[in-house]
Amino acid sequence: MTPSAPVPAATGTVTTNVPSRLDRLPWSRWHWMIVIGLGTVWILDGLEVTTVGNIASRLSEDGSGLSISSAQVTGVAAALYVAGACAGALFFGWLTDRYGRKKLFMVTLVVYLGATAMTALSFDAWWFFTFRFLTGFGIGGEYAAINSAIDELIPAKFRGRVDLIINGSYWLGAVGGALLSIVMLNTDIFPKDLGWRLTFALGVVLGLVVLLVRRHVPESPRWQFIHGRGEEADALVTSVERDIEREKGRPLPRAEGEITIEQRKSIGFGLIARTVFRSYPKRAVLGLSLFIGQAFLYNAITFGFGAILTTFYDVPSGGTGYYFAVIAAGNFIGPLLLGKLFDTVGRRVMISSTYLLSGVLLFGTAWLFDRGSLSAVTLTACWCVVLFFASAGASSAYLTVSEIFPMETRAMAIAFFYALGTAAGGISGPLVFADLTSSGVVGDTVLAFQIGAGLMCAAGLVAAFLAVNAEGRSLEDIATPLSVSSGASGASGASGASGASGRSGAPNPMI
């Protein structure tokens, strides 16, 4: 164990080896606590979105307790949910960088739980729409707060696979939501106006369990030492090291590398924007491409899957959950099996190949669908294969934008790219694809598939040229923190991969 009492080089300036100490830690029970406390919210998100998609037909029926159409649920309500997520990501992302990861990942979960509970009490369409927006608002904040915290707490050699699996766990919730809807839509068990309400209520119960676990997740030491709380960061890491040494029964190896930074209480939004777009324009293009591509592909398939099955294959509305459970399982298995390759084979190869493969396979599915060669079962099988690769690629979008920009901008970078990419594909997507996939015209559904596939392939090509080889590298090595001291001679073992020498902390522009 190598405690670092941060050494002040000048007023407001500290030298610390906290990043290298975190990155050299072996996997432990403490890391599992981080994964469970922070990552499980994605399961709730998957449960939420899938449930709404599956109960759309029930909500539109007489006796549901709501005067609303199926198209409004999958179109307007879905778009409002995503719009709320975009707004929440930006709002809470700014607060996360300013006030810390822990405070905000508690607040965002509370917002999500409250809005979900109120959705269960919906008595009119406007109420349902309002709280779908607010539920999304909380989930968007989760994306910014959680991804930034996870990447700052997980050791560099595990960061890729852990991030992918956590983001991919959304689909465990989707499987649960699909199977749950089968039970909740069964009128032999629950009345039409009660089953869907209990589904949302169950999401609240599960969220409360996550909230209890999350109380034990600490603040990010990386955020602490930059924001004038270096002693707290050192004490936290020292405590973690002691626990891991007791767990493993051996001393930890010496941490190599220090970084000298000028502590500050907050980072201005203008500085964040200039850093992301002026200093890292190629990385900005990469982030936008990845988010837009995956958003359109998923909207092309998931928001219209129920309508496609019921319209073209006469699958009863109460049975679509079985099919969705299958493709949701494929979505989770993808990151689970491919995640390690992002840390070994490398980011560039894996990101570009998963995007390109999923796009090409969706083009093939569209061609087979257009020819009338698919049944409900074989179409679902095709989707499952497409999304096996697409899910790993989509999860890598969150990983990418959370690790390729300076730490002070991390939550806002995640929020911005999520919001802009998702707004392009996630707000317009449901509105466009809901009409295309429910029209009953084969050509319209083929067009929806082709739009998603084309943008996914385009993003894959961008990644082939612009993806950053971040595997196994410290976050401070991938992008030099803005707070690196101008008087430091360098950040040994933690300098920026952007080409900064550590003399000024300024990243190499255009990379």
Side-chain angles (χ1 to χ4, degrees):
M1 185 171 60
T2 54
S4 75
V7 181
T11 303
T13 301
V14 297
T15 297
T16 180
N17 63 0
V18 161
S20 59
R21 291 164 68 192
L22 288 170
D23 280 335
R24 65 71 153 96
L25 293 176
W27 192 261
S28 66
R29 288 192 295 266
W30 185 77
H31 294 107
W32 278 118
M33 183 265 292
I34 301 297
V35 169
I36 294 171
L38 298 183
T40 44
V41 75
W42 267 243
I43 298 176
L44 295 178
D45 189 18
L47 180 72
E48 181 87 21
V49 173
T50 307
T51 296
V52 173
N54 285 327
I55 67 175
S57 59
R58 174 55 44 81
L59 289 174
S60 65
E61 295 175 1
D62 292 336
S64 70
L66 281 182
S67 177
I68 194 170
S69 69
S70 178
Q72 284 179 312
V73 177
T74 58
V76 177
L80 284 171
Y81 178 86
V82 175
C86 294
L90 292 171
F91 177 71
F92 288 118
W94 177 72
L95 293 178
T96 297
D97 276 336
R98 188 176 183 87
Y99 296 109
R101 295 10 178 172
K102 184 176 178 67
K103 288 181 181 177
L104 271 298
F105 63 59
M106 297 296 286
V107 170
T108 53
L109 183 55
V110 170
V111 171
Y112 164 80
L113 292 175
T116 301
M118 298 305 288
T119 303
L121 301 176
S122 296
F123 58 88
D124 203 351
W126 68 267
W127 181 281
F128 185 81
F129 292 151
T130 299
F131 286 102
R132 290 310 295 158
F133 176 86
L134 292 175
T135 302
F137 193 73
I139 283 292
E142 285 279 295
Y143 278 109
I146 300 303
N147 274 299
S148 55
I150 288 171
D151 284 352
E152 291 168 9
L153 292 169
I154 298 298
K157 63 181 177 180
F158 301 112
R159 189 172 61 241
R161 73 198 76 176
V162 170
D163 202 298
L164 259 70
I165 292 172
I166 285 177
N167 280 284
S169 68
Y170 169 99
W171 295 102
L172 285 178
V175 172
L179 297 177
L180 184 64
S181 68
I182 296 170
V183 177
M184 294 303 182
L185 294 180
N186 188 337
T187 54
D188 292 333
I189 302 175
F190 299 106
K192 285 185 178 181
D193 63 345
L194 180 61
W196 64 269
R197 298 181 189 276
L198 292 177
T199 304
F200 286 113
L202 180 60
V204 175
V205 173
L206 295 175
L208 288 172
V209 174
V210 175
L211 188 64
L212 292 174
V213 176
R214 191 173 287 184
R215 291 182 307 134
H216 303 290
V217 177
E219 179 58 86
S220 164
R222 284 178 155 104
W223 183 88
Q224 287 177 321
F225 72 68
I226 280 182
H227 289 78
R229 294 162 60 180
E231 291 184 2
E232 293 178 42
D234 184 72
L236 172 58
V237 177
T238 299
S239 174
V240 171
E241 289 171 330
R242 287 171 180 163
D243 289 343
I244 293 177
E245 285 186 337
R246 282 196 295 268
E247 176 187 340
K248 302 298 181 182
R250 63 179 185 273
L252 294 171
R254 180 178 178 82
E256 301 293 338
E258 295 181 334
I259 187 169
T260 300
I261 58 101
E262 295 176 356
Q263 295 178 314
R264 57 179 86 190
K265 292 294 184 182
S266 63
I267 309 294
F269 187 79
L271 178 58
I272 293 174
R274 287 194 301 273
T275 300
V276 171
F277 295 103
R278 290 186 183 179
S279 301
Y280 296 98
K282 292 182 180 179
R283 296 186 183 190
V285 170
L286 172 67
L288 285 175
S289 300
L290 296 181
F291 269 98
I292 291 173
Q294 62 89 23
F296 267 98
L297 178 134
Y298 272 96
N299 283 301
I301 296 178
T302 56
F303 274 106
F305 92 95
I308 293 171
L309 293 175
T310 56
T311 301
F312 294 103
Y313 301 108
D314 297 322
V315 175
S317 60
T320 58
Y322 292 109
Y323 295 90
F324 195 77
V326 173
I327 65 171
N331 270 285
F332 178 65
I333 293 172
L336 186 65
L337 297 183
L338 300 177
K340 185 177 182 180
L341 299 178
F342 284 77
D343 285 322
T344 55
V345 175
R347 304 286 202 265
R348 185 187 301 269
V349 171
M350 292 306 300
I351 295 172
S352 59
S353 62
T354 51
Y355 269 76
L356 287 168
L357 270 172
S358 58
V360 169
L361 289 169
L362 186 55
F363 272 126
T365 302
W367 178 73
L368 291 172
F369 183 83
D370 191 33
R371 292 187 56 188
S373 302
L374 299 175
S375 65
V377 172
T378 54
L379 176 61
T380 301
C382 289
W383 280 342
C384 195
V385 175
V386 169
L387 296 175
F388 174 86
F389 295 104
S391 181
S395 296
S396 72
Y398 295 94
L399 167 66
T400 297
V401 299
S402 69
E403 67 181 1
I404 63 174
F405 297 104
M407 193 190 73
E408 297 89 338
T409 72
R410 184 161 296 122
M412 271 307 300
I414 297 168
F416 176 81
F417 290 106
Y418 170 79
L420 196 57
T422 304
I427 297 177
S428 60
L431 298 175
V432 172
F433 295 134
D435 289 334
L436 289 176
T437 55
S438 63
S439 68
V441 178
V442 171
D444 288 348
T445 299
V446 170
L447 177 60
F449 288 174
Q450 290 173 336
I451 292 172
L455 288 171
M456 201 70 171
C457 287
L461 292 174
V462 171
F465 290 97
L466 299 183
V468 178
N469 295 318
E471 58 275 4
R473 295 167 62 189
S474 168
L475 294 172
E476 292 74 21
D477 184 46
I478 299 167
T480 304
L482 302 179
S483 302
V484 164
S485 174
S486 59
S489 60
S492 174
S495 61
S498 55
S501 66
R503 290 187 299 272
S504 65
N508 183 25
M510 304 306 289
I511 294 179

